[in-house]
Amino acid sequence: MNIPVSVQDLPFRSTSLGRSVRARLQFRKSGSRTYLADQHTPHPFHITRPFAISGDPEGMATLYLQSSAGGLYHDDDHHLCVEVDDGACAHVTSQASTIIHNSHQSSSRIDVELKVGENGWLEFCPEPAILFPGARLTSTLTAKVHPTSKLLFCDAQLCHDPEGDGATFNELDNKISLNNEEGETFYVDRAVVRGENWFGATDGRQCAGTFLVYDAGNAALISSALEGCIAGFDPGCVYAGQTHLADRSVVVVRLIATSGANLTNAMQALWSAIRVALTGKTPMPRRK
């Protein structure tokens, strides 16, 4: 006798359609200009043509990352390597946030590898990842830097419940590490949080983010500039704190925010403060 079974009671079965994708961007310097020397961007990665923005450091190339997919789904495994060769200067951002969909009994993975050569300058500033109910994300960012290079990047997540019924993501496993030229790790940041613990860890706030800067020659200057910037935040919207690891030339800002808009505005303010400290010029916002 056949007994009706609701769709909700059926076990989830992976369709094994997860995409394992490896993408690469390489920037080089020619004269005073930085150009995209090599790129491999298979589906769903897509990029704009690099362009220059008035007021940026001389020769800096700005490039937008885009996606032709609707986000990351279960079993998706995306790896992106961004290389900035000696003397090159690049700003890489994303057109929009990346949605992490319900992973069911599986997971999604984002693996970012950054390499900055001698006197290179890389700003890697993607929009936050949006964690939908049921999402399970493993996010790894690894950077290799030279003692004379400049590196700054944003890493942020947003907990989103579109139905408003209190559902949360499953788990976020997030790791950031910095390595020197010899491959030795000198900074590691690791956090694993379950969705049901998110709002307890963030004091009820929807968003969390990290803004990290490596610059051996200007870390103290940058730390001072960021301290002044943080002092201007409304703690009811954005709560932030800074750590300056002088022995490693690393400055880290941690933020929790009540909304994605507040988080984005805070990240842009921090980036702008660094640019002013290093160049004396307020950068033009990247339009999204």
Side-chain angles (χ1 to χ4, degrees):
M1 180 177 178
N2 294 326
I3 301 175
V5 178
S6 68
V7 173
Q8 288 79 8
D9 294 331
L10 292 173
F12 172 78
R13 295 184 180 180
S14 173
T15 57
S16 299
L17 295 178
R19 294 162 294 190
S20 180
V21 183
R22 300 293 181 266
R24 182 184 69 258
L25 302 171
Q26 185 177 30
F27 295 90
R28 289 179 182 162
K29 183 178 180 181
S30 176
S32 62
R33 182 178 65 90
T34 293
Y35 68 102
L36 185 61
D38 190 22
Q39 61 96 4
H40 177 66
T41 50
H43 175 78
F45 286 96
H46 183 71
I47 61 172
T48 64
R49 183 176 181 177
F51 54 93
I53 294 181
S54 176
D56 277 356
E58 183 180 7
M60 173 174 275
T62 288
L63 182 142
Y64 281 78
L65 285 168
Q66 299 173 315
S67 174
S68 53
L72 265 71
Y73 299 85
H74 67 90
D75 293 330
D76 277 353
D77 181 3
H78 292 180
H79 178 95
L80 171 67
C81 179
V82 181
E83 298 183 47
V84 173
D85 289 356
D86 295 351
C89 189
H91 178 98
V92 178
T93 186
S94 59
Q95 184 183 29
S97 295
T98 299
I99 295 175
I100 313 300
H101 293 278
N102 191 332
S103 302
H104 301 282
Q105 284 91 36
S106 184
S107 64
S108 305
R109 181 179 181 88
I110 300 174
D111 187 5
V112 176
E113 183 181 7
L114 308 176
K115 301 178 181 179
V116 191
E118 184 176 359
N119 294 313
W121 185 333
L122 173 61
E123 300 175 349
F124 184 75
C125 302
E127 294 295 312
I130 303 178
L131 303 171
F132 269 50
R136 183 192 298 268
L137 174 65
T138 299
S139 176
T140 303
L141 190 151
T142 305
K144 183 177 181 181
V145 293
H146 185 275
T148 63
S149 62
K150 290 178 172 62
L151 170 67
L152 65 87
F153 61 79
C154 307
D155 181 60
Q157 297 80 33
L158 186 158
C159 180
H160 182 55
D161 174 22
E163 301 298 327
D165 57 7
T168 64
F169 64 91
N170 189 321
E171 184 178 84
L172 170 66
D173 185 342
N174 197 69
K175 182 180 179 181
I176 297 170
S177 59
L178 300 180
N179 303 321
N180 61 22
E181 283 191 301
E182 289 71 38
E184 300 170 333
T185 302
F186 63 90
Y187 176 87
V188 175
D189 185 336
R190 177 80 182 273
V192 180
V193 60
R194 300 280 300 178
E196 61 263 28
N197 299 326
W198 176 268
F199 290 104
T202 63
D203 194 27
R205 292 169 172 85
Q206 183 184 15
C207 312
T210 298
F211 195 100
L212 187 145
V213 186
Y214 171 82
D215 186 340
N218 299 287
L221 175 65
I222 291 170
S223 176
S224 178
L226 293 181
E227 184 176 350
C229 181
I230 291 171
F233 292 163
D234 177 357
C237 298
V238 177
Y239 186 78
Q242 180 206 174
T243 300
H244 176 201
L245 304 174
D247 59 328
R248 282 164 275 186
S249 303
V250 172
V251 182
V252 183
V253 177
R254 295 290 184 82
L255 311 92
I256 49 177
T258 54
S259 70
N262 288 332
L263 177 67
T264 297
N265 290 338
M267 290 289 198
Q268 290 180 346
L270 294 170
W271 167 66
S272 181
I274 293 171
R275 280 286 196 89
V276 171
L278 294 179
T279 69
K281 297 179 181 179
T282 301
M284 292 181 60
R286 268 54 181 174
R287 299 180 65 180
K288 304 293 179 73

